Amino acid sequence: MPASIRHILRAKAHPARSVPCPNEHCRARPHQSCIVRVNGRTLDKPHPSRISAWAVLVACCPECQTTPGVPCHDDGTPRTDVHDRRIEDAKGTLA
């Protein structure tokens, strides 16, 4: 399916769904919604760890000056999440 048509069909979905969910209890594949394994309920929004993984993939971090694909850090110490400004920049790339 061409990317232009795929984008139109998935326009309502959060763009973080394009990456697999790293949440240890979810592990949703790309383009699938995050779920709660205990009861199988589908979540309206992706897990925060999935949003962070997507932001690392598509945006530079203005806070720690890293490029796409490189995780955020605090003065050389790796972070488990990303800076809020990086998520905002990732959302800005969609516009």
Side-chain angles (χ1 to χ4, degrees):
M1 178 181 299
S4 59
I5 295 173
R6 186 179 307 122
H7 174 70
I8 292 169
L9 294 175
R10 294 190 177 129
K12 296 176 190 169
H14 195 284
R17 284 183 48 186
S18 64
V19 298
C21 184
N23 184 293
E24 64 183 73
H25 300 292
C26 176
R27 301 282 188 213
R29 293 180 296 195
H31 306 294
Q32 288 186 334
S33 297
C34 288
I35 61 168
V36 178
R37 286 272 183 214
V38 176
N39 58 11
R41 186 174 61 95
T42 302
L43 300 177
D44 295 335
K45 294 182 181 179
H47 286 106
S49 57
R50 191 176 198 177
I51 294 172
S52 293
W54 167 72
V56 167
L57 187 67
V58 300
C60 295
C61 183
E63 190 108 3
C64 59
Q65 304 299 315
T66 57
T67 58
V70 179
C72 288
H73 61 85
D74 289 325
D75 297 324
T77 306
R79 292 176 59 119
T80 56
D81 59 347
V82 296
H83 292 105
D84 292 334
R85 290 178 56 196
R86 189 173 197 168
I87 293 173
E88 293 303 317
D89 278 4
K91 290 177 183 175
T93 62
L94 298 173

